[in-house]
């Protein structure tokens, strides 16, 4: 903390509003007719936590996103929820980034924003669905991270005490700032923005940064900077079902019992 | 780098248009063109009958990849016990190593882990690197990442696999970022491309609606986190000859910026859902938190664990660790009993590997009934109490 509250950065991504994508089996392509976009649902928890921290400790929140120009609308959603500023990293050369290139690009953008105490990321995105960008970003910035954070206990003397889930255990940890955290859905209940803030967010200025503004190594952006390649997409093979049984509850219970005995459970 | 169509050669057959997974090839004014949507995946290259599609521009940073050899598995442990997923990775890792004619290796970090680590050899591991040190008793990202990166730089594996556990998912992206290589999350299938020798990493995308196969052609190691309970566990191979390499590190040299203050069990007794042979799961169809009482009762009677759909977790009827599916856990029990769960693709993604699926649903058109081995159309509140009754009577003899 720098005497003027916390400097918080939240990473948000724009994703397709539905994951119900289908594959055109004849052509082997994704069917993407008129799919709308929205802020990644997991990132709402990151934004909400940032706003709650600000309410508790004072400070300033910057929302950052890398994406096409339309990703601006997700940043406006974050502004409406309570972020103060928004930065959009957008450039044709950023396209096709995998998690390594995304983390690198976000790191370049965050260095441009300036100093910060804490960076908050969502657990994962609903499209990429990897949860890799948060820890990767922390590595690019050379700061520690704590993933799966379910509660923030307190800030004190440049340190923060957190509770995280690690599979079958909860851990209480202490970490020095600056640091990065990824948060689970348990951490809060994201708010609905007020009409007043929505109106403000609609007009708020969003800072645009392009590749040349970021500096950095040009060949680490976008597809060129992505070591992974998708070679095939396909629908998962269906699991074929078995018997469908209809009838009185007594009969159904008998059927299950018979099966459980047959399967050596009882 | 980009992909182009050489106009002189193109005969306009349009086969590439059909092949493109991103819809990025279009016919414009009668000519076939690659649009800005191109992700340069290269799927179209071999499809063209007249070799009119080419990759142009520089290929970035291709080092000498041939010096990278072997399949390395992260031997995750908790409380000095090797985690179950490691045996699954060893099973798959052995198969991959054999296909490329290389060795299977494992790295274990922790305190008092040498014996467990040595035992891995009995599952067909050629070499185990052990970092046994009191400072590693409790998992922390920083030392784990520093030590593993140091090892990767020394032994240069071709492939590096980690379980998609909370620990694996937390350290893998940092490791990949540090050594600037690709990382595929949550793989459910791994294979070797017979032509290129590359690791084919298949994972669910878009909420499990589609599967994507991903490669990492130009950097090493090829890294992946792998879902647990998806790959088959390695068989014991008593007498297998392997080597244990005791490794050392200087605690002063590794960073350590996160301090663990307290660890508490989430556990609620009974088997955990990732280990259980029987899982009884409840969904929105339970209608409220009380519903989990009869689910728990049935699970206890069968010696099983309680699972849930995301809808039930989102409603707050049961805690998140019980969630099964794409954004929860993957399970592979012998018997999965789904009660009041519709069977969305996301839920199926976490349980369709179960050996036998029983589903109870009021709605005969519920998708879960289409994939269940035994689908029962009925009200769970009428059927389950009767079932519990019958099991009790049977047990009394
Ligand atoms: C990115 C993403 C990730 C997701 N990850 C997961 C995940 O990990 N796990 C997961 O489960 N979901 C996940 N979902 C959510 C998923 O799409 C579904 O919303 C969810 O699985 C639905 O849960 P449900 O089947 O319990 O509820 P519903 O779909 O509402 O189904 C309830 C069912 O209960 C039946 N029913 C009602 N009353 C009774 C009764 N008395 N007796 C018998 N049957 C009854 C109904 O007929 C209905 O079929 C994810 C979604 C997205 C977008
Ligand atoms: N393009 C992006 N711009 C900003 N933040 C991102 C972007 N991609 C991922 N993130 C952040 O990283 C988290 C994990 O994303 P992922 O690794 O894609 O599942 C998200 O919840 C965001 O907080």
């Amino acid at each position: 903390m720098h005497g003027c509250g916390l400097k918080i950065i939240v990473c948000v991504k724009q994703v397709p509003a539905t994951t119900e994508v289908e594959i055109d089996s004849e052509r082997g392509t994704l069917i993407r007719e008129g799919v709308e976009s929205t802020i990644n649902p997991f990132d709402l928890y990151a934004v909400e936590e940032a706003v709650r921290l600000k309410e508790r400790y004072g400070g300033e929140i910057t929302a950052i996103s890398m994406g096409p120009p339309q990703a601006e609308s997700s940043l406006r959603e974050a502004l409406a929820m309570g972020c103060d500023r928004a930065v959009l990293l957008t450039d044709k050369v950023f396209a096709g980034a995998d998690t390594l290139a995304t983390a690198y690009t976000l790191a370049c953008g965050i260095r441009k924003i300036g100093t910060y105490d804490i960076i908050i990321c969502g657990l994962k995105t609903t499209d990429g669905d990897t949860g890799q960008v948060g820890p990767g970003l922390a590595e690019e910035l050379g700061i520690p991270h704590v993933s799966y954070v379910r509660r923030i206990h307190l800030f004190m003397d440049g340190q923060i005490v957190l509770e995280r889930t690690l599979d079958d255990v909860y851990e209480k940890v202490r970490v020095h700032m600056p640091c990065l955290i990824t948060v689970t859905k348990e951490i809060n209940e994201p708010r609905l923005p007020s009409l007043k803030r929505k109106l403000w967010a609609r007009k708020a200025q969003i800072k645009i940064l392009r590749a040349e503004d970021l500096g950095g190594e040009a060949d680490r952006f976008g597809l060129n900077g992505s070591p992974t390649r998708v070679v095939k997409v396909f629908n998962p093979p269906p699991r074929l079902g078995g018997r469908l049984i209809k009838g009185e509850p007594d009969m159904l219970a008998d059927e299950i019992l018979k099966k459980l005995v047959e399967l050596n459970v009882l | 780098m980009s992909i182009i169509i050489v106009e002189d050669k193109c005969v306009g057959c349009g086969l590439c248009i059909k092949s493109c997974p991103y819809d990025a090839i279009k016919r414009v004014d009668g000519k076939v063109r690659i649009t800005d949507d191109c992700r340069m995946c290269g799927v179209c290259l071999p499809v063209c009958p007249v070799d009119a599609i080419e990759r142009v521009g520089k290929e970035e940073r291709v080092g000498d990849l041939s010096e990278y050899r072997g399949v390395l598995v992260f031997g995750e442990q908790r409380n000095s016990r090797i985690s179950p997923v490691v045996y699954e990775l060893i099973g798959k890792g052995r198969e991959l190593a054999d296909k490329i004619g290389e060795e299977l290796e494992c790295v274990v970090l922790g305190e008092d882990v040498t014996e467990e680590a040595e035992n891995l050899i009995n599952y067909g591991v050629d070499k185990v690197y052990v970092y046994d040190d009191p400072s590693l008793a409790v998992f922390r990202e920083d030392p784990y990442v520093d030590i593993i990166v140091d090892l990767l730089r020394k032994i240069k594996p071709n492939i590096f696999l980690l379980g998609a556990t909370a620990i694996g998912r937390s350290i893998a992206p940092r490791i990949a970022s540090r050594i600037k290589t690709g990382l595929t999350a949550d793989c459910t299938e791994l294979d070797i491309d017979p032509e290129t020798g590359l690791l084919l990493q298949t994972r669910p995308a878009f909420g499990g609606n589609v599967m994507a196969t991903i490669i990492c052609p130009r950097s090493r190691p090829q890294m992946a986190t792998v879902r647990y309970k998806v790959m088959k566990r390695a068989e014991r191979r008593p007498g297998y000859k392997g080597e244990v390499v005791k490794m050392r590190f200087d605690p002063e040299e590794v960073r350590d910026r996160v301090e663990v203050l307290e660890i508490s069990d989430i556990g609620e007794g009974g088997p955990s859902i990732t280990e259980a042979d029987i899982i009884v799961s409840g969904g929105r169809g339970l209608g409220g938190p009380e519903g989990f009482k009869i689910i728990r009762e049935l699970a206890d009677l069968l010696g099983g664990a309680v699972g849930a759909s995301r809808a039930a977790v989102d409603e707050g009827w049961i805690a998140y660790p019980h969630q099964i599916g794409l954004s929860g856990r993957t399970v592979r029990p012998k018997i999965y009993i789904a009660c009041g769960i519709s069977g969305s693709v996301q839920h199926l993604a976490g349980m369709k590997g179960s050996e036998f699926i029983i589903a109870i649903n009021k709605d005969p058109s519920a998708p879960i009934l289409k994939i269940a081995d035994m689908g029962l159309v009925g009200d769970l509140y009428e059927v389950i109490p009767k079932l519990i009754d019958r099991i009790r009577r049977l047990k009394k003899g």
Side-chain angles (χ1 to χ4, degrees), chain B residues 66-126:
Chain B
S66 63
E67 57 177 330
Y68 291 84
R69 293 185 68 78
V71 178
L72 180 70
V73 163
F74 171 56
E76 178 173 338
Q77 55 82 24
R78 283 240 135 197
N79 303 320
S80 306
R81 256 199 68 225
I82 301 283
S83 306
V85 67
V86 175
Y87 297 96
E88 298 162 23
L89 294 179
I90 289 174
K92 189 45 134 184
R94 184 70 262 169
E95 187 191 314
L96 298 172
D98 290 343
K99 279 192 184 167
I100 51 176
E102 295 177 8
E103 299 214 310
L104 175 64
E105 306 177 327
C106 212
V107 53
V108 180
L109 289 76
E111 182 189 27
D112 287 332
V113 289
T114 305
E115 218 173 292
E116 277 268 294
E118 279 167 359
N119 184 39
L120 292 178
I121 290 176
N122 297 326
Y123 290 84
V125 179
D126 299 303

Side-chain angles (χ1 to χ4, degrees), chain B residues 19-73:
Chain B
S19 76
C20 177
Y22 300 101
D23 247 351
I25 312 183
K26 297 242 155 71
R27 213 182 278 277
V28 188
D29 304 332
K31 290 197 177 120
V32 182
R33 293 228 190 274
I34 294 182
T35 69
D36 289 346
D37 288 333
C38 175
R39 298 271 194 110
M40 285 159 260
C41 67
V43 166
C44 56
L45 290 165
V47 171
C48 179
V50 293
D51 289 334
I53 310 178
E54 288 174 9
R55 225 188 259 274
V56 294
K58 69 173 172 134
E59 293 269 301
E60 70 276 14
R61 272 201 302 277
V62 190
D64 181 11
L65 301 181
S66 63
E67 57 177 330
Y68 291 84
R69 293 185 68 78
V71 178
L72 180 70
V73 163

